[in-house]
Amino acid sequence: MKTINSIVMAALVMMFTSCGGGEPKQQGPAVKAESMVKKEAPGPDKGVGPIKSVDVSAPVDAALAATGMETFEAKCTACHKMGKRFVGPDLTEVTSRREPEWIMNMILNPEGMVAENETAKALLAEYLSPMANQSLTEDEARSILEYFRSLKK
């Protein structure tokens, strides 16, 4: 019986090891399938939220910036400090890093931003603490944006 098993086993090994091999199949020239849809370059990241456009072409409005500073100090400084990392990121020069719409949308819609915006998701991953929704109005968010603009060097 051992002899028959050995013969069957040897036959199976020979059968499996003899499969395949030979000349590699010739394949046609490599053709990359390219989409017929022309990809557009991504535009500025305005974030996700109610703010689609903000006009910041005018010089900084000092009165609006002062209101924004008061609102920022009352609502935001528990997590944000200017010039240093705290619970949230340092907001020094934030207007140089983010679009004005993005900043306002982050203030007004932090939940939607971290769910759908890649930059906000990355910030959440880095700081591990979601930004609290302070239930600010668009006017309050705009004044905070103006305050940030006033800090730009």
Side-chain angles (χ1 to χ4, degrees), residues 98-114:
R98 307 280 183 263
E99 295 295 320
E101 295 87 356
W102 191 97
I103 294 168
M104 289 184 65
N105 282 324
M106 191 66 188
I107 293 169
L108 296 170
N109 183 31
E111 300 90 356
M113 288 286 283
V114 297

Side-chain angles (χ1 to χ4, degrees), residues 36-54:
M36 298 301 289
V37 177
K38 185 176 182 178
K39 293 182 180 177
E40 293 182 20
D45 183 1
K46 295 185 175 187
V48 177
I51 307 302
K52 305 299 179 208
S53 174
V54 179

Side-chain angles (χ1 to χ4, degrees), residues 11-53:
L12 286 174
V13 169
M14 288 177 55
M15 184 174 83
F16 286 118
T17 57
S18 65
C19 292
E23 296 293 320
K25 291 184 178 178
Q26 294 288 331
Q27 296 186 3
V31 177
K32 291 185 178 179
E34 293 187 25
S35 173
M36 298 301 289
V37 177
K38 185 176 182 178
K39 293 182 180 177
E40 293 182 20
D45 183 1
K46 295 185 175 187
V48 177
I51 307 302
K52 305 299 179 208
S53 174

Side-chain angles (χ1 to χ4, degrees), residues 5 26 33 44 47 54 65 68 88 95 102 109 112 119 129 131 148 150:
N5 285 342
Q26 294 288 331
V54 179
T95 56
W102 191 97
N109 183 31
T119 302
S129 179
M131 184 167 149
F148 292 158
S150 74

Side-chain angles (χ1 to χ4, degrees), residues 1 10 31 34 49-50 64 71 101 137-138 140 147:
M1 187 69 168
V31 177
E34 293 187 25
L64 186 58
T71 304
E101 295 87 356
T137 65
E138 286 188 21
E140 290 171 318
Y147 168 58

Side-chain angles (χ1 to χ4, degrees), residues 5-6 9 20 22 35 55 71 87 92 95 97 112 137-138 141-142 146:
N5 285 342
S6 297
M9 187 60 106
S35 173
D55 182 8
T71 304
V87 175
T92 303
T95 56
R97 298 187 307 269
T137 65
E138 286 188 21
R142 180 63 182 89
E146 200 70 3

Side-chain angles (χ1 to χ4, degrees), residues 72-89:
F72 179 81
E73 289 178 355
K75 301 282 188 172
C76 307
T77 54
C79 296
H80 296 282
K81 304 291 182 201
M82 291 298 182
K84 68 178 183 178
R85 179 186 173 119
F86 198 53
V87 175

